[in-house]
Every structure is written in C-alpha cells, then in structure tokens.
Amino acid sequence: MDLLVGVLVIVLGLPLLGLVSLKVANGRLQRTGMAVWFVGSPALLVLGGWLIHRAL
C-alpha cells in the first residue's frame, strides 16, 4: 500500500504542485510561486521516496 501511495505522491503530486505554483506565480506573487515550487518539490520527492523505501 505504501508503495502505491509513494508512487502516486510523486507521479500526481509534482505536476499538481507545478500547476499551483504557475497559477500563484502569474501576477504579483511571482516569488511566492517560485518558493512554492522550490520548497514543495523536494518535500514531495522525499515523502514519496520515504513511502516507497518503507514499502520495500
């Protein structure tokens, strides 16, 4: 179960985070959108990798 959740976090979470950061970056909050991406993408990769590692 953790393996599936970990893969889904990486496969679905990163594109969704990219869309959210692009939506936030349009307009006056450009730096906030970049910060969301630069903080959120490693966090999602670590969370997904940890779940996959725990499942194996």
Side-chain angles (χ1 to χ4, degrees):
M1 184 68 179
D2 287 339
L3 181 66
L4 178 65
V5 173
V7 170
L8 286 176
V9 163
I10 292 173
V11 171
L12 296 178
L14 286 176
L16 287 176
L17 181 66
L19 288 174
V20 168
S21 67
L22 281 177
K23 293 289 183 185
V24 171
N26 289 339
R28 287 190 268 171
L29 297 174
Q30 184 175 5
R31 290 187 183 190
T32 305
M34 287 179 15
V36 166
W37 176 252
F38 285 120
V39 171
S41 59
L44 282 177
L45 287 173
V46 166
L47 176 64
W50 178 72
L51 287 169
I52 291 170
H53 175 71
R54 199 174 102 177
L56 300 176

